[in-house]
Amino acid sequence: MSSVVTIQRGATSVVLDLELPMPAIAHIGGVIEGFDPRALGLPVARATLDAPAPIGVLTENGTGFLGRPGLVGFRPDGSAWAPIFKRVAEEVEDDRVRFELSDAVAELELVIEIEVTASETVVGSMTLTNTGASEYTVVRLSASITMPVHATELVSFTGRWCKEFQPRRHDFDALSVIENRRGRTSHDQLPAVFAGSIGFGEHHGDVWGVQLAWSGNYEIAAERLADGRRHVQCGELLSPGEVVLAPGASYRTPDVVVAASQAGITPASQRFHRHVRAQNPLVGDRKVILNTWEAVYFNHDLATLQALADAGASVGVERFVLDDGWFGSRRDDTMGLGDWWVSEEVWPDGLHPIVDHVTGLGMEFGLWVEPEMVNPDSDLYRENPHWTLTTAGYEPVLGRQQLVLDCGRADVRDYLFDRIDALLDEYAIGYLKWDMNRDLVQGSNQRSIDDPGRAGTHGHVLGVYALLDRIRVAHPGVEIESCASGGGRVDLEILRHTDRVWTSDCNDALERQTIQRGFTMLFPPEVMGAHIGPLRAHTTHRVQQLGFRTATALFGSLGIEWNLLDADEAGRAQVAAAIQLYKRLRPLLHGGDVIRFDHDDPAALVHGVISPDRTHAVMAYVQMSPSMTTVPLPMRFGGLDPDRRYRLDLIDDLQSADEFGRDRPAWMLLDSIELSGAQLMSSGLQPPVLHPESVVLIELHAV
Ligand code: GLA
């Protein structure tokens, strides 16, 4: 028998090949009894090294591995740049394993930990310790997940502000590297990739989803070697000199989280969803939010905001969030960030009148903050210019007229904690919208105004996590939303320290359909802020009917980002009906399995949520643009129980007759219809003819 270790939980297992000192992932996915990696042992090809090097969890050039090394580092004299580790200890349990390795020549120790979680995700990390007498500079410490050779395609994510979470497909060929240097997770890349078999879709193909749980700079490489083997390697992207280990010091990588599936992307996504649900369990319901940003922007006026709160309460809103503009000299976005005192100019009696009004209406009060930032035009910056992540001697690069505070510094964190703590003590605040509105550039952690400092993104990110945790410990009831100009900081690690994310500044429902679809490939819907915007979307100027806007927002953590005072009676009644529907469906929407379908008509999207026991579901048929066919093509639902019959109910509380398509299929004209799961999954259901930018919602109950 070959030397292997298998860890497993439920239907997921990891087989580690221990033939050589460095453990290598031989299999990750479904349980295969007696997996023997020798079956894939390579012959020695001509004109290559005498022994093919494995793709270890840490790839080592020193052993003859000729692709990307997992560890790049060196000592001041240039030594220890190509370490070769020996395994010195291992602890194996059913579902986890811990290896200790050491390199006596390079004077380094490495600990590798891998676990299969109850969510059937695989979580791994590595910790490197400098056991030598000199400093050790770490340039890269990235883990490799071996992929089978039939994983020939990749789906990674791109986007921009107002168009986040856009999947793109490419070949798993040669070397593809995603590098993020924005100092936050970013709008245009995500630390995530799916590798899979040819043409893998939502419900077919072998798929391996990989996410790096990190909110700063990162790199993800998908590398196909000359012999055809391949791996996905990921870790933090460190700037030169950013991590230098003193003798005895350690560096731990962010967690790598893998979700595998033998039946397409959707089951892998569901594992990621369970992973988030397990790491940060939902306490109570996700409250329906009214956010003031697009309603009033910086124009804070008590009477208007009170009227807005009244309007919100009357339609069923549960949380009122006062956005930017309440503090310091912050009357627009050019000044005031950093001065976290309530503005006496705008709020002469403090926030009490609005907080009391909101809570008096039975709603919770939430507040916007952007703690990591400072405007040069602020008292905080004038007093502590060296608190910023800038580099002495250079003109700082501004973003939205602001600089980043070095949250790697304890004094900066103490200042921010004290300010936020004081606000949370003084006011009945149940929610913080924690924003982060610029990329980090030239981020050096200066100790004084003329200290050149070192690259400080790594320290900043860890400091932000620590600050968030400190606030949560001091104020355990307060929920925190992560926002970064919309979805610029959404990743598995920020979701351990916060409760919800602002998905995108774009509230245009057509854009939101694709943004939210991409989002749910990685994260569950209850953390996905989804707000009903105004008739004309502020960021695209497109006009959309209320039914489409509400049916789109329904599938996330629902809110309103619209001046409800502009809505007429009928509009408010429609919003109230949507909120009522949401509250009724909330346990299903936020506890069920999200399911996306590959639909045959490119003009439409089909998605839904099914309860874990498969007795209750809600499905959405979304007409994005006019179809090429005279009538739309049937939608086939997966994920149901083939042996059950389901009663189908049309949910038409959200659409006015005008929005809803005129040409209804036969089943919609019946009083009621019951169909088997098997039929719905094989031949499907005929949608009506719809106007573009409208949705049909169908509720299914097992009978
Ligand atoms: C960012 C956020 C918005 C809003 C503004 C306030 O752009 O994404 O939702 O909070 O900041 O300045």
Side-chain angles (χ1 to χ4, degrees), residues 209-470:
V210 181
Q211 296 200 55
L212 184 75
W214 185 245
S215 318
N217 295 332
Y218 52 81
E219 51 181 13
I220 298 191
E223 184 176 49
R224 199 209 58 171
L225 304 169
D227 53 34
R229 291 176 303 159
R230 57 202 71 207
H231 64 135
V232 170
Q233 184 187 62
C234 51
E236 197 180 343
L237 195 162
L238 297 169
S239 293
E242 186 158 24
V243 171
V244 179
L245 299 178
S250 299
Y251 166 78
R252 185 189 186 281
T253 63
D255 282 344
V256 179
V257 182
V258 181
S261 149
Q262 292 83 59
I265 308 168
T266 283
S269 301
Q270 291 172 354
R271 292 196 162 126
F272 282 136
H273 294 186
R274 273 177 231 136
H275 181 92
V276 173
R277 287 171 179 172
Q279 77 179 9
N280 197 1
L282 193 64
V283 184
D285 285 332
R286 290 283 144 170
K287 292 190 161 57
V288 178
I289 288 179
L290 189 152
N291 182 289
T292 61
W293 180 240
E294 288 199 0
V296 300
Y297 291 104
F298 287 102
N299 304 321
H300 286 200
D301 164 66
L302 178 60
T304 309
L305 289 167
Q306 285 177 336
L308 193 58
D310 291 340
S314 75
V315 297
V317 165
E318 298 163 311
R319 173 184 284 151
F320 180 91
V321 180
L322 183 66
D323 212 283
D324 198 356
W326 57 267
F327 55 93
S329 58
R330 186 80 169 170
R331 301 293 78 78
D332 58 35
D333 66 6
T334 61
M335 61 182 102
L337 281 176
D339 300 337
W340 300 108
W341 281 268
V342 178
S343 161
E344 288 175 11
E345 184 192 337
V346 191
W347 296 98
D349 300 314
L351 295 175
H352 292 291
I354 187 67
V355 175
D356 294 347
H357 189 81
V358 165
T359 53
L361 289 165
M363 295 187 292
E364 185 184 276
F365 185 80
L367 191 64
W368 181 94
V369 288
E370 195 179 0
E372 296 152 73
M373 297 291 160
V374 66
N375 287 118
D377 190 352
S378 66
D379 293 340
L380 183 70
Y381 184 77
R382 282 182 280 272
E383 281 159 34
N384 300 290
H386 58 289
W387 277 13
T388 53
L389 283 165
T390 48
T391 302
Y394 300 100
E395 199 56 42
V397 177
L398 292 168
R400 209 190 186 198
Q401 294 87 231
Q402 61 199 53
L403 295 168
V404 186
L405 291 171
D406 180 6
C407 290
R409 294 175 66 117
D411 50 0
V412 169
R413 289 199 301 275
D414 287 346
Y415 165 78
L416 294 172
F417 176 81
D418 289 347
R419 289 317 315 139
I420 295 168
D421 183 55
L423 286 162
L424 296 177
D425 279 345
E426 182 173 357
Y427 299 106
I429 296 171
Y431 187 80
L432 290 175
K433 176 178 174 184
W434 183 295
D435 215 334
M436 200 284 194
N437 280 317
R438 63 155 293 175
D439 298 325
L440 265 73
V441 185
Q442 280 183 6
S444 300
N445 51 10
Q446 311 175 85
R447 296 297 119 189
S448 67
I449 192 65
D450 47 21
D451 169 17
R454 286 176 188 274
T457 302
H458 171 76
H460 174 79
V461 174
L462 292 179
V464 172
Y465 295 153
L467 180 58
L468 287 163
D469 292 350
R470 191 170 162 197

Side-chain angles (χ1 to χ4, degrees), residues 1 4 78 113 152 207 251 275 315 359 402 414 445 458-459 529 531 534 631 659 663 697 701:
M1 185 60 197
V4 296
E113 289 170 286
T152 55
V207 174
Y251 166 78
H275 181 92
V315 297
T359 53
Q402 61 199 53
D414 287 346
N445 51 10
H458 171 76
H531 293 180
V631 294
E659 288 171 51
D663 305 317
L697 294 176
H701 281 104

Side-chain angles (χ1 to χ4, degrees), residues 285 551 554-556 577-592 609 611 616-619 649 651 653-654 697-701:
D285 285 332
L554 186 77
F555 285 90
I579 291 177
Q580 224 175 352
L581 173 70
Y582 173 76
K583 288 177 179 171
R584 178 172 75 75
L585 293 176
R586 191 157 45 185
L588 169 67
L589 294 169
H590 294 174
V609 185
S611 66
H616 187 198
V618 59
M619 304 292 190
D649 294 305
I651 299 179
D653 328 25
L654 300 186
L697 294 176
I698 302 157
E699 193 171 358
L700 287 81
H701 281 104

Side-chain angles (χ1 to χ4, degrees), residues 47-231:
T48 59
L49 297 170
D50 290 347
I55 302 177
V57 172
L58 184 85
T59 52
E60 298 167 298
N61 277 180
T63 62
F65 179 81
L66 297 171
R68 275 168 66 95
L71 172 60
V72 178
F74 58 93
R75 294 196 179 276
D77 63 359
S79 66
W81 66 276
I84 303 177
F85 287 93
K86 292 205 162 42
R87 212 163 58 243
V88 293
E90 62 200 48
E91 289 165 31
V92 187
E93 292 175 40
D94 292 347
D95 53 5
R96 70 193 64 208
V97 60
R98 181 177 188 277
F99 299 106
E100 276 176 37
L101 300 102
S102 106
D103 178 338
V105 179
E107 297 183 297
L108 294 169
E109 274 176 16
L110 183 73
V111 170
I112 298 174
E113 289 170 286
I114 304 172
E115 179 192 355
V116 185
T117 68
S119 316
E120 293 191 19
T121 49
V122 178
V123 181
S125 68
M126 300 191 293
T127 305
L128 183 75
T129 302
N130 176 12
T131 55
S134 61
E135 288 184 333
Y136 189 75
T137 298
V138 183
V139 181
R140 175 194 301 152
L141 184 64
S142 290
S144 284
I145 303 105
T146 315
M147 292 289 160
V149 294
H150 72 281
T152 55
E153 290 181 5
L154 297 169
V155 170
S156 64
F157 294 83
T158 182
R160 61 163 166 82
W161 176 71
C162 278
K163 206 175 181 73
E164 297 88 340
F165 308 105
Q166 305 293 316
R168 69 178 153 200
R169 194 174 278 261
H170 35 128
D171 289 341
F172 194 152
D173 194 17
L175 177 64
S176 315
V177 187
I178 296 166
E179 287 191 353
N180 172 49
R181 295 173 197 279
R182 293 181 180 270
R184 55 179 176 172
T185 320
S186 92
H187 296 85
D188 55 340
Q189 323 245 28
L190 280 177
V193 69
F194 288 93
S197 52
I198 188 162
F200 69 92
E202 288 295 348
H203 297 279
H204 66 272
D206 288 343
V207 174
W208 293 266
V210 181
Q211 296 200 55
L212 184 75
W214 185 245
S215 318
N217 295 332
Y218 52 81
E219 51 181 13
I220 298 191
E223 184 176 49
R224 199 209 58 171
L225 304 169
D227 53 34
R229 291 176 303 159
R230 57 202 71 207
H231 64 135

